[in-house]
């Protein structure tokens, strides 16, 4: 068993020594390559190229960061413009509501003016009818007075043709009474005629006022219709301007969105490139560290092996 263990240990030692010899040869080759790479200008050019590429990537990163800041600033400006457009839209909406209120008030006033005009027309017709009725009454009273005058004249004629049996005193009394009755009838007739003329003048004045009010109502109605047409035109103009501004803002927002998406894609691409460069650099660092560790391990093994081989000879 001990001989088998010794034979196994010898085999393992032989394999270990062969491996150490192979690693020493590879170490020498690698040392020669490293020395040649350090001494040759190609290594310096590769290092310069790597540094140049890293500098270019840093510049690209700074440029992308500046573009990002510019895009964020443009986004903030666009947001402010959108807020301003919203405030303007709200103001225009409020102005539109105010115009609608004024339009409704104008319509109400127009309806009231129309109703007043209709009432004035009806009042004018009623006054005309009253004037006609007063004229008819006046004519009737005039005819009645004419009949009374005719009857009085006939009675006077009968008194003139009366026999001489009447005494003068009675005739004088009767004539006085008749003259008083006649004066009273004439005064009554004059009073009624003056009243009818006054009522006729009043009716004419009322009719004239109604006509003037009707004309003023028509003028005011025309002014209100003109104001309504102006408000409608202004409303249409504001709606067209709002739609045009909304389309322009929408187009600008779409352009900014596309620019933001393009910048975001470029940013992602630069991130991927920078991550790739950092990963390559990390791999190079790991490779360098692993080579350094292997060299140190080989050196330690060689020193230990040389020490172990020198001990029996000593």
């Amino acid at each position: 068993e001990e001989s088998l263990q010794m034979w196994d240990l010898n085999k393992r030692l032989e394999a270990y020594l062969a491996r150490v010899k192979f690693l020493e040869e590879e170490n020498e080759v690698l040392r020669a390559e490293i020395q040649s790479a350090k001494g040759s200008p190609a290594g310096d050019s590769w290092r310069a190229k790597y540094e140049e590429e890293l500098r270019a990537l840093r510049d690209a990163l700074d440029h992308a960061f500046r573009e990002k800041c510019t895009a964020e600033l443009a986004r903030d400006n666009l947001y402010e413009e959108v807020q301003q457009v919203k405030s303007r839209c709200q103001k225009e909406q409020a102005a539109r509501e105010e115009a609608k209120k004024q339009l409704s008030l104008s319509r109400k006033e127009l309806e009231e003016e129309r109703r007043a005009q209709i009432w004035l027309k009806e009042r004018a017709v009623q006054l005309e009818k009253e004037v006609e009725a007063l004229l008819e009454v006046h004519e009737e009273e005039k005819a009645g007075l004419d009949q009374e005058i005719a009857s009085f004249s006939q009675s006077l004629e009968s008194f003139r043709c009366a026999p001489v049996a009447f005494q003068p005193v009675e005739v004088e009394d009767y004539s006085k009474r008749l003259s008083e009755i006649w004066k009273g009838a004439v005064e009554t007739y004059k009073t009624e005629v003056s009243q009818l003329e006054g009522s006729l003048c009043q009716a004419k004045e009322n009719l004239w006022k109604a006509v003037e009010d009707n004309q003023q109502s028509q003028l005011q109605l025309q002014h209100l219709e003109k104001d309504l047409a102006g408000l409608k035109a202004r409303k249409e103009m504001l709606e067209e301007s709002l739609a045009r501004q909304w389309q322009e803002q929408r187009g600008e927002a779409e352009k900014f969105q596309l620019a933001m998406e393009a910048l975001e894609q470029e940013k992602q691409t630069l991130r991927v490139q920078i991550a790739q460069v950092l990963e390559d650099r990390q791999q190079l660092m790991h490779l360098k560290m692993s080579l350094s560790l292997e060299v140190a391990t080989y050196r330690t093994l060689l020193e230990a092996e040389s020490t172990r081989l020198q001990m029996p000879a000593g």
Side-chain angles (χ1 to χ4, degrees), residues 80-230:
E80 291 179 358
E81 290 178 358
V82 169
Q83 293 297 326
Q84 291 178 0
V85 170
K86 285 183 178 180
S87 64
R88 288 178 63 186
C89 289
Q90 291 177 358
K91 290 180 181 178
E92 290 179 357
Q93 186 71 24
R96 189 183 300 172
E97 294 294 332
E98 187 67 24
K100 286 182 180 179
K101 290 180 181 179
Q102 292 181 359
L103 182 61
S104 62
L105 291 175
S106 301
R107 286 178 179 175
K108 289 180 180 179
E109 291 179 357
L110 182 61
E111 291 294 331
E112 290 178 357
E113 290 294 331
R114 287 178 179 176
R115 291 175 182 175
Q117 186 178 0
I118 292 169
W119 181 81
L120 289 173
K121 288 181 180 179
E122 292 178 354
R123 184 62 178 168
V125 173
Q126 186 178 0
L127 289 173
E128 288 177 356
K129 290 180 179 180
E130 290 179 358
V131 169
E132 291 177 357
L134 290 173
L135 290 174
E136 290 178 356
V137 172
H138 177 67
E139 293 293 333
E140 291 177 356
E141 291 179 353
K142 185 178 179 182
L145 290 173
D146 290 334
Q147 290 179 0
E148 289 179 359
I149 290 169
S151 63
F152 281 130
S153 63
Q154 289 177 2
S155 62
L156 285 174
E157 290 294 332
S158 63
F159 281 125
R160 286 177 185 176
C161 298
V164 191
F166 290 103
Q167 295 180 2
V169 179
E170 294 178 357
V171 172
E172 288 178 359
D173 292 334
Y174 189 75
S175 64
K176 287 180 181 179
R177 289 175 64 190
L178 185 61
S179 62
E180 290 176 358
I181 291 168
W182 175 257
K183 287 180 182 180
V186 170
E187 292 294 331
T188 306
Y189 176 73
K190 287 181 179 179
T191 304
E192 290 179 356
V193 168
S194 62
Q195 289 178 358
L196 289 172
E197 288 178 354
S199 62
L200 183 61
C201 293
Q202 187 68 30
K204 287 182 179 180
E205 289 179 358
N206 292 329
L207 182 61
W208 180 251
K209 287 182 180 179
V211 171
E212 288 182 352
D213 292 336
N214 189 10
Q215 291 178 357
Q216 290 179 0
S217 299
Q218 288 180 357
L219 291 174
Q220 190 174 3
L221 179 62
Q222 291 177 0
H223 287 301
L224 289 173
E225 288 179 352
K226 288 181 181 179
D227 294 337
L228 180 61

Side-chain angles (χ1 to χ4, degrees), residues 26-40:
E26 285 187 353
N27 192 10
E28 291 295 332
V29 172
L30 289 173
R31 187 180 290 111
E33 289 180 356
I34 289 170
Q35 292 297 329
S36 63
K38 287 182 180 180
S40 64

Side-chain angles (χ1 to χ4, degrees), residues 239-295:
E239 287 179 353
E240 290 178 357
S241 176
L242 181 61
R244 185 171 61 254
Q245 290 179 1
W246 181 254
Q247 291 292 333
E248 291 178 357
Q249 293 293 332
R250 188 175 180 181
E252 291 179 358
E254 290 178 354
K255 289 181 181 179
F256 278 112
Q257 187 67 27
L258 292 174
M260 288 290 293
E261 290 178 357
L263 290 173
E264 191 67 28
Q265 290 179 359
E266 188 175 359
K267 180 181 176 182
Q268 294 295 331
T269 305
L270 289 173
R271 281 183 178 178
V272 172
Q273 292 178 359
I274 291 169
Q276 187 67 31
V277 170
L278 292 175
E279 187 177 357
D280 294 338
R281 183 179 178 184
Q282 192 71 22
Q283 289 179 359
L284 288 173
M285 292 295 292
H286 284 300
L287 181 60
K288 182 178 179 183
M289 290 175 65
S290 62
L291 288 173
S292 300
L293 289 173
E294 287 182 0
V295 168

